[in-house]
Amino acid sequence: QSVITDVGKIENKISAVKVTDINGNDFTSDYNFTFIDGELEVTLRPIVIKTDEAGKQYDGTPIYAEGFNIINDTSIVDGHKVELEYFGYINAGEYDNLPVNADIYDQNGKNVSANYSIDFVCGKLTIAKRIVTYRTPTKEFIYCGKPYFATDGVFEQGTLLAGGESCVAVDYTTVPFVTDKPVENVYTLKIIKA
């Protein structure tokens, strides 16, 4: 007798036949059997996994949403377990929550992923841009023939950089001469990640 468990195809062979009457008398030798083998085939079990969604404001740390549901009529085999591995996005933007690896294990810990056809409906991972307000200083200088600049601005309350980040002023405005009007103090902040 042929037996198949995993995805594939085998011949359905009979190894022996015994012919008896109702009293148990053996009449096998009275027959000449010819067997035409059939086939046994196990096909992929289709499942559709919907991954969870998540969102946060940029904070310099990865975002994950590791939950999921199987949403089609065919579920996994009883006793089997799905394990998904995710990529953690860090930068602001919207991303599909598509696992980088998907494995299915049976009750004995054997990887049986090859017996499944897995499709995904991806939830969205959203990292909103961090809103930062930085106030540049207002200063007045007495002329001395050298350029002036002021880069000691401050972050407004509640709009600090993400943890572990700092900034430095670059490409700032200098005032090399006497003016009768204020000069706009423009400079670029360079964010330095820890």
Side-chain angles (χ1 to χ4, degrees):
Q1 175 181 347
S2 298
V3 176
I4 184 171
T5 303
D6 293 325
V7 168
K9 186 185 291 187
I10 63 170
E11 290 183 340
N12 189 12
K13 293 185 173 288
I14 296 176
S15 57
V17 174
K18 184 176 183 180
V19 179
T20 60
D21 64 14
I22 57 172
N23 298 320
N25 298 316
D26 190 340
F27 291 97
T28 306
S29 62
D30 294 334
Y31 294 89
N32 185 11
F33 286 96
T34 300
F35 298 106
I36 299 172
D37 296 334
E39 290 182 334
L40 299 176
E41 182 177 10
V42 177
T43 60
L44 292 170
R45 187 176 187 91
I47 61 170
V48 179
I49 297 174
K50 183 179 186 315
T51 58
D52 284 355
E53 298 188 349
K56 68 175 184 173
Q57 185 180 54
Y58 170 76
D59 64 2
T61 64
I63 186 171
Y64 298 96
E66 296 180 346
F68 64 89
N69 291 301
I70 296 174
I71 60 172
N72 62 320
D73 293 336
T74 309
S75 187
I76 62 172
V77 174
D78 285 343
H80 287 194
K81 177 182 173 185
V82 177
E83 289 186 7
L84 303 178
E85 181 182 344
Y86 292 92
F87 180 79
Y89 294 95
I90 295 175
N91 296 323
E94 184 175 89
Y95 308 95
D96 286 336
N97 190 17
L98 179 64
V100 294
N101 193 38
D103 287 309
I104 300 176
Y105 296 92
D106 68 12
Q107 58 274 21
N108 299 317
K110 176 186 172 189
N111 190 321
V112 292
S113 305
N115 293 309
Y116 287 87
S117 169
I118 306 171
D119 287 317
F120 291 96
V121 174
C122 296
K124 294 293 182 190
L125 298 175
T126 305
I127 303 175
K129 290 183 178 184
R130 189 172 193 87
I131 298 169
V132 177
T133 303
Y134 188 84
R135 184 174 303 281
T136 62
T138 300
K139 293 198 175 181
E140 189 175 296
F141 302 96
I142 297 173
Y143 175 75
C144 73
K146 295 180 183 176
Y148 292 101
F149 57 90
T151 60
D152 53 339
V154 294
F155 287 99
E156 294 292 306
Q157 186 65 25
T159 62
L160 301 178
L161 296 174
E165 293 181 339
S166 61
C167 72
V168 62
V170 295
D171 299 327
Y172 43 81
T173 301
T174 60
V175 183
F177 50 85
V178 175
T179 65
D180 59 349
K181 296 179 186 172
V183 174
E184 187 175 332
N185 188 13
V186 178
Y187 55 92
T188 303
L189 290 178
K190 181 177 180 182
I191 305 296
I192 301 169
K193 297 186 182 278

